[in-house]
């Protein structure tokens, strides 16, 4: 759905995005994580066609968004970090305005408004002014405004900031619902435990660069790579060479320090390919005791990435 | 309703309470005026009606027009509007007429009172009403285009008061109002004699139309839509053509020839617009980085979409100055054609000074600093040399038309080269390195 190639963005004297390239598949929920100042908000701005990059290309459904920014605006919903509402308008009028502003036909506006309100569970507050809503409800209204035109892509910048745990939980439930509706979401956040509940991919940024793009467990697709862990029943000194000779295996790490021989490596998430790999290992007489995907939570994965970078 | 932005403004601006409040307040004021004028519903009330109409539409309305953008940025709703599917034109008129609708409600009441109280022939009354409507529209349009343009340069200006932009609008429209009420009967334009009020009204229609083109272009930029150089180019040509029409016999006698006099007016327009736009437009070094990359890729179409307006006007100034250097008759105060070459070199030097200041790492008050430098160069230093009797040093500060023209041109050429070198060096040291790494 999104393909970013060699994207560079510069503020005077500061390179905010540095040769950023990645792809986002349709229907995925990408957690955009990284320390403050990593370039997450700038990247979201570029993806929303609100800022023009210095160089590079962003394709949305095959179209270059710098050439067709208005097409991007129609296809995208965006919730900025510091969002604003029309405080003196009622919830109903806020949604109605956004529906009309996004070009929804007059006879379909009512339905769009009701649907967005129901999805965000604010339909009982339609006649309440925006300024009278609580923080959590304001957030819901802002998201409802962003999705009222049912965009295939939704960009959210720190959507859970300032929300209490209960509101965060319901936000996570909402994003799962949107994901099930087929929307593609890119969510920038610091709260990794929340992201884990609904994200399928994690994009880690640091100093304007993408330092990794990983699949989060349980959301593997046929093209993504997974971390696999192999435990052996007995010593097997040839393990390293066996693994390295198999196509598709990378980043092999052998641990023979403890009593149990173990190996960790990257391989396709495709279950058939994993089955074939297991068969191949058994045929190579590897004394396999267990063969499983390594389940690491997002927080641990993120910290590992950051540590790797620091070591480099 | 066809325009969501207009409708949103109606929701916010027009409430029953406000609908009742305006006529009550205005009615009270007109009643007082009537009582103070021997209870006569006549010219005294009409004058008050016009004054109030001017204040409401040209000052308050202009402030509301500017605020329609500034408040969106301040309250973080502007990004949402930029992400909407509304066209630049819908957004422009939705804001211009929607945000000011309540001021027009008040102005309409004032004009109605004027219509019923003015002690003048009906056609004159209608023309005066039209004049105030157009002046109000012009003032509001200028305030809106100024806020959009300056916002493009620096988002932090959203914190500033909309009144500042209303003053811009008032400064643009008030002189026209003043002109309309002077005692002249007719205007001469390209030798054609036109009724003076009619001429002002026709001119105002064009001014308002161009202000709307300006709003539309600025709005397109905000919506990330690209546009070429044609809008600005046509405006420059129109303004030159419009002002050249005022060249009369007195100027022709002084400057020797209709053609050269008109070219001189065109030159003045190009130079003034260059200085105006270079201060109004963003001189973000990233734009120059982008232009450099496009130039290396020979992407002419993209270059034409990115070029700042001041650069286009600078090209106009070059062509006109060179034309003047060839055609201007000798002996009319500009004895050497080198005068116009020197004049252009001074402009180039000033442009480089402004860019040099803007290429600093501390760009916050760059334009004010540049203005100060120009005041020192054109005001303070020449005053010192004059006060000390060293008038000969004028060749360092102004283009020379007589005597020292060649020397003066050489001196300003050297100044230009030095400042250009400094500007280039500063840009390379502050912004050029990152480009080199990622090219």
């Amino acid at each position: 759905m999104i393909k970013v190639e060699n994207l560079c963005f510069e503020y005077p004297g500061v390179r905010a995005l540095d040769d950023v390239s990645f792809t986002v598949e349709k229907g995925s929920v990408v957690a955009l994580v990284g320390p403050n100042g990593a370039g997450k908000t700038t990247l979201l701005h570029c993806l929303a066609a609100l800022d023009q990059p210095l160089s590079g290309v962003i394709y949305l459904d095959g179209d270059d968004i710098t050439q067709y920014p208005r097409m991007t605006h129609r296809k995208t919903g965006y919730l900025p970090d510091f969002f604003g509402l029309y405080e003196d308008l009622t919830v109903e009028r806020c949604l109605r305005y956004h529906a009309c502003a996004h070009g929804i036909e007059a006879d379909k506006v009512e339905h769009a408004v009701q649907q967005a309100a129901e999805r965000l569970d604010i339909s009982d507050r339609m006649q309440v002014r925006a300024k009278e809503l609580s923080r959590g409800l304001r957030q819901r209204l802002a998201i409802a405004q962003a999705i009222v035109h049912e965009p295939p892509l939704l960009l959210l910048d720190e959507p859970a900031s300032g929300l209490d745990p209960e509101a965060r939980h319901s936000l996570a439930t909402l994003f799962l619902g949107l994901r099930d509706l087929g929307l593609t979401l890119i969510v920038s956040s610091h709260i990794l435990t929340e992201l884990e509940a609904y994200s399928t991919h994690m994009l880690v940024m640091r100093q304007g660069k993408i330092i990794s793009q990983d699949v989060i467990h349980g959301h593997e697709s046929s093209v993504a790579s997974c971390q696999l862990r192999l435990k052996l029943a007995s010593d097997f000194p040839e393990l390293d060479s066996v693994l390295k000779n198999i196509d598709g295996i990378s980043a092999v790490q052998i641990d023979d320090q403890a009593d149990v021989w173990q190996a960790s490596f990257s391989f396709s998430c495709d279950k058939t390919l994993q089955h074939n790999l297991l068969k191949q290992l058994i045929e190579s007489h590897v004394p396999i005791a267990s063969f499983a995907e390594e389940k690491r939570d997002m927080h641990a994965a993120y910290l590992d990435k950051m540590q790797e970078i620091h070591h480099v | 309703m066809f325009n969501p932005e207009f409708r949103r403004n109606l929701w916010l601006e027009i409430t029953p309470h406000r609908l009742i409040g305006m006529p009550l307040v205005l009615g009270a004021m007109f009643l007082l005026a009537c009582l103070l004028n021997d209870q006569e519903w006549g010219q005294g009330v009409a004058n008050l009606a016009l004054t109030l109409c001017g204040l409401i539409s040209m000052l308050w309305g202009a402030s509301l027009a500017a605020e329609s953008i500034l408040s969106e940025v301040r309250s973080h709703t502007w990004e949402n509007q930029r992400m909407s599917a509304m066209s630049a034109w819908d957004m422009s008129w939705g804001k211009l007429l929607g945000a000011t609708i309540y001021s027009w409600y008040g102005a309409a009441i004032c004009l109605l009172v004027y219509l019923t109280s003015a002690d003048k022939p009906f056609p004159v009354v209608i023309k005066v009403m039209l004049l105030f409507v157009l002046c109000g529209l012009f003032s509001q349009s200028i305030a809106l285009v100024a806020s959009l343009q300056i916002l493009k340069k620096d988002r932090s200006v959203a914190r500033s008061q909309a009144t500042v932009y209303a003053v811009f609008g008032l400064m643009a429209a008030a002189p026209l109002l003043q002109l309309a009420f002077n005692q002249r009967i007719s205007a001469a334009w390209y030798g054609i004699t036109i009724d003076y009020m009619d001429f002002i009204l026709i001119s105002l229609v064009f001014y308002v139309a161009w202000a709307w083109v300006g709003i539309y272009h600025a709005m397109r930029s905000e919506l990330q839509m690209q546009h070429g150089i044609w809008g600005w180019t046509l405006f420059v040509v129109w303004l030159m053509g419009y002002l050249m029409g005022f060249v009369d016999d007195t100027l022709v006698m002084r400057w020797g020839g209709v053609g050269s006099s008109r070219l001189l007016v065109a030159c003045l327009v190009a130079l003034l617009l260059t200085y105006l736009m270079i201060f109004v437009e963003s001189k973000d070094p990233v734009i120059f980085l982008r232009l450099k990359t496009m130039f290396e890729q020979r992407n002419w179409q993209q270059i034409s979409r990115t070029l700042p307006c001041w650069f286009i006007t600078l090209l106009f100034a070059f062509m006109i100055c060179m034309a003047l250097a060839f055609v201007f008759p000798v002996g009319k105060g500009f004895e050497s054609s080198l005068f116009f070459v020197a004049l252009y070199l001074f402009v180039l030097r000033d442009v480089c000074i402004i860019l040099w200041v803007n290429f600093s790492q501390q760009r916050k008050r760059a334009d004010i600093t540049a203005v100060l430098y120009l005041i020192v160069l054109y005001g303070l230093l020449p005053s010192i040399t004059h006060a000390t009797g060293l008038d000969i040093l004028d060749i360092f500060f102004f283009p020379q038309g007589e005597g020292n023209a060649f020397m003066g041109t050489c001196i300003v050429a050297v100044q230009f080269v030095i400042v250009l070198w400094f500007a280039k060096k500063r840009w390379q040291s502050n912004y050029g390195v990152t480009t080199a790494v990622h090219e």
Side-chain angles (χ1 to χ4, degrees):
Chain A
M1 174 153 200
I2 298 173
K3 189 176 181 188
V4 178
E5 285 178 355
N6 312 110
L7 190 71
C8 291
F9 188 92
E10 194 148 323
Y11 296 110
V14 181
R15 179 139 301 191
L17 296 177
D18 194 358
D19 208 20
V20 167
S21 298
F22 64 93
T23 54
V24 174
E25 288 169 40
K26 193 173 176 5
S28 52
V29 181
V30 179
L32 186 60
V33 296
N36 288 332
K40 303 188 293 291
T41 299
T42 306
L43 178 60
L44 288 179
H45 258 240
C46 288
L47 292 174
L50 287 172
D51 277 327
Q52 202 188 347
L54 180 65
S55 59
V57 199
I58 304 170
Y59 295 104
L60 177 62
D61 288 335
D63 296 315
D64 180 356
I65 70 163
T66 53
Q67 295 297 316
Y68 307 103
R70 298 302 280 165
M71 176 273 299
T72 309
H73 296 158
R74 276 193 292 275
K75 285 185 174 179
T76 310
Y78 177 47
L79 178 73
D81 188 1
F82 298 104
F83 64 87
L85 299 171
Y86 294 114
E87 306 287 349
D88 288 319
L89 292 186
T90 61
V91 169
E92 193 252 341
R93 281 189 164 176
C94 284
L95 291 174
R96 189 172 289 276
Y97 166 69
H98 277 86
C100 295
H102 279 104
I104 295 178
E105 289 167 34
D107 57 334
K108 291 176 183 160
V109 167
E110 191 61 44
H111 174 70
V113 167
Q114 287 303 327
Q115 186 163 287
E118 276 164 24
R119 276 181 188 162
L120 271 299
D121 201 17
I122 50 173
S123 41
D124 56 335
R125 290 177 171 84
M126 293 297 258
Q127 297 312 315
V128 178
R129 285 175 197 270
K131 65 182 174 191
E132 291 159 9
L133 296 174
S134 67
R135 177 82 174 88
L137 286 170
R138 289 171 66 82
Q139 199 90 3
R140 282 172 173 274
L141 174 57
I143 297 169
Q145 287 179 169
I147 63 163
V148 72
H149 59 302
E150 299 192 349
L153 173 66
L154 185 59
L155 308 170
L156 302 127
D157 196 357
E158 299 289 348
S161 69
L163 295 184
D164 58 40
E166 198 183 344
R168 280 183 198 169
H169 174 73
S170 54
L171 201 66
T173 313
L174 167 73
F175 291 157
L176 280 169
L178 293 176
R179 193 186 76 185
D180 294 342
L181 286 170
L183 262 74
T184 306
L185 278 80
I186 300 183
V187 189
S188 149
S189 181
H190 284 110
I191 308 158
L192 300 181
T193 44
E194 302 294 334
L195 287 170
E196 193 163 24
Y198 50 81
S199 302
T200 57
H201 296 73
M202 179 170 73
L203 207 58
V204 185
M205 288 191 77
R206 191 168 184 271
Q207 292 180 340
K209 288 176 185 286
I210 299 284
I211 57 170
S212 81
Q213 182 177 13
D214 294 315
V215 176
I216 296 168
H217 64 77
H219 303 297
E220 297 82 4
S221 69
S222 58
V223 290
S225 73
C226 284
Q227 196 72 13
L228 298 181
R229 182 161 285 272
L230 201 63
K231 284 186 184 172
L232 304 192
S234 58
D235 293 1
F236 191 69
E238 299 85 20
L239 181 62
D240 190 39
S241 60
V242 169
L243 290 176
K244 282 178 178 169
N245 282 329
I246 296 174
D247 282 347
I249 287 183
S250 61
V252 177
Q253 282 184 315
I254 306 285
D255 180 11
D256 55 356
Q257 301 299 313
D259 293 341
V260 184
W261 274 62
Q262 297 186 53
S264 169
F265 53 87
S266 284
F267 189 71
S268 168
C269 295
D270 187 288
K271 300 300 173 201
T272 314
L273 290 176
Q274 286 184 10
H275 168 74
N276 290 338
L277 169 67
L278 182 60
K279 215 161 93 178
Q280 208 173 340
L281 289 171
I282 291 168
E283 281 167 3
S284 303
H285 306 292
V286 179
I288 298 169
S290 76
F291 175 92
E293 279 175 21
E294 206 166 19
K295 306 284 185 193
R296 284 184 311 159
D297 67 23
M298 215 169 145
H299 191 74
Y302 172 70
L303 290 178
D304 283 353
K305 291 289 174 197
M306 285 300 160
Q307 272 178 350
E308 268 176 40
I309 292 295
H310 283 300
H311 287 310
V312 172
Chain B
M1 183 83 59
F2 46 98
N3 187 323
E5 181 58 16
F6 185 72
R7 179 165 62 172
R8 185 185 65 82
N9 277 301
L10 285 189
W11 284 338
L12 290 170
E13 293 293 319
I14 303 295
T15 61
H17 177 247
R18 296 186 98 202
L19 279 177
I20 297 164
M22 178 71 86
L24 279 181
V25 173
L26 290 176
M29 291 170 90
F30 292 128
L31 181 65
L32 181 66
C34 182
L35 294 172
L36 293 176
N37 284 286
D38 302 327
Q39 299 186 6
E40 191 187 330
W41 190 258
Q43 198 54 45
V45 176
N47 289 342
L48 177 69
L50 282 187
T51 309
L52 286 176
C53 176
L55 286 174
I56 289 173
S57 65
M58 289 165 61
L59 194 61
W60 186 36
S63 169
L64 290 172
E67 188 65 10
S68 70
I69 290 289
L70 299 178
S71 65
E72 299 282 359
V73 179
R74 268 201 306 273
S75 54
H76 304 289
T77 47
W78 186 224
E79 304 298 20
N80 269 337
Q81 292 212 329
R82 292 174 69 206
M83 291 286 294
S84 75
M86 268 187 284
S87 71
W89 175 240
D90 281 348
M91 188 76 91
S92 300
W93 81 257
K95 283 199 178 298
L96 183 65
L97 300 183
T100 60
I101 192 81
Y102 192 57
S103 72
W104 282 117
Y105 176 56
I109 294 170
C110 294
L111 289 176
L112 206 63
V113 170
Y114 175 74
L115 183 69
T116 56
S117 61
D119 189 16
K120 284 182 178 162
F122 185 70
V124 175
V125 171
I126 294 296
K127 281 182 184 177
V128 169
M129 287 171 70
L130 200 55
L131 176 76
F132 272 78
V133 170
L134 286 170
C135 279
L137 275 177
F138 186 50
S139 175
Q140 291 168 10
S141 307
I142 291 292
L144 182 56
V145 77
S147 59
L148 272 168
Q149 193 64 45
I150 295 173
L151 205 64
K152 193 176 156 195
K153 184 175 165 182
D154 182 5
R155 280 285 195 261
S156 67
V157 297
R159 289 194 295 269
S160 62
Q161 293 294 315
T163 323
V164 176
Y165 302 95
V167 170
F168 288 154
L170 195 67
M171 279 165 62
L176 294 163
L177 212 55
Q178 198 184 4
L179 276 175
F181 284 108
N182 79 16
Q183 298 304 311
R184 289 183 67 171
I185 296 163
S186 62
W189 191 69
Y190 282 108
I192 308 163
T193 306
I194 312 167
D195 178 83
Y196 196 70
M197 183 60 118
D198 290 351
F199 184 75
I200 296 277
L201 287 175
I202 294 165
S203 298
L204 260 168
V205 169
F206 279 97
Y207 294 166
V208 171
W210 277 115
W212 286 1
V213 172
I215 294 169
Y216 174 69
H217 267 242
M219 196 63 87
R220 278 180 66 92
S221 288
E222 279 296 318
L223 302 181
Q224 296 293 305
M225 296 161 85
Q226 297 179 327
H227 48 80
I229 57 174
W230 298 112
W232 178 251
T233 307
L234 281 174
F235 170 69
V236 174
V237 171
W238 175 82
L239 191 61
M240 285 174 179
Y242 175 78
L243 292 176
M244 282 194 293
F246 295 104
V247 169
D248 59 11
D249 291 343
T250 324
L251 288 177
V252 173
M253 288 288 282
R254 190 185 299 166
W255 292 337
V258 179
S260 49
S261 301
R262 286 186 177 156
L263 264 183
L264 209 58
V265 170
C267 180
L268 209 63
V269 170
L271 296 183
L272 286 176
L273 286 179
T274 302
Y275 280 101
L276 175 73
M277 291 315 288
I278 199 168
F279 282 114
V280 167
E281 286 186 299
S282 168
K283 289 159 293 290
D284 187 337
V286 178
I287 294 173
F288 294 90
L289 269 178
R290 205 170 278 152
L291 277 168
K292 183 173 175 274
T293 312
M294 290 168 191
F295 188 76
E296 284 162 357
Q297 294 166 348
R298 302 284 186 269
N299 191 344
W300 306 117
Q301 192 186 24
Q302 211 52 33
I303 287 173
S304 73
R305 289 168 174 172
T306 314
L307 275 177
C309 292
W310 63 261
F311 186 81
I312 297 161
T313 329
L314 196 64
L315 292 179
F316 268 105
F318 172 76
M319 289 186 285
I320 297 166
C321 281
M322 293 310 110
L324 276 167
F326 284 106
V327 304
F328 211 83
V330 173
K332 294 289 175 186
F334 309 104
E335 286 184 3
S336 168
S337 56
L338 281 175
F339 172 85
F340 294 103
V341 178
L343 177 70
Y344 191 71
L345 285 168
F346 267 104
V347 178
L348 286 181
R349 182 204 66 176
D350 295 348
V351 165
C352 289
I353 288 173
I354 296 163
L355 293 181
W356 174 73
V357 178
N358 274 277
F359 290 160
S360 154
Q361 283 176 330
Q362 301 294 325
R363 301 170 53 241
K364 205 167 175 61
R365 294 180 191 87
D367 282 344
I368 294 171
T369 311
V371 169
L372 276 177
Y373 283 151
L374 294 182
I375 289 172
V376 168
L377 282 169
Y378 286 111
L380 203 57
L381 289 179
S383 300
I384 292 170
T385 57
H386 280 241
T388 50
L390 295 167
D391 292 9
I392 191 150
L393 293 180
D394 268 1
I395 54 171
F396 285 92
F397 308 116
F398 303 110
Q400 301 297 303
E402 298 165 16
N404 294 324
F406 181 73
M407 181 60 82
T409 309
C410 291
I411 286 171
V412 67
V414 171
Q415 289 182 44
F416 163 60
V417 171
I418 291 170
V419 184
L420 178 68
W421 183 79
F422 272 109
K424 191 180 170 210
K425 200 170 160 50
R426 180 173 267 189
W427 187 72
Q428 279 175 335
S429 67
N430 288 343
Y431 306 104
V433 179
T434 46
T435 328
V437 169
H438 298 290
E439 268 174 359

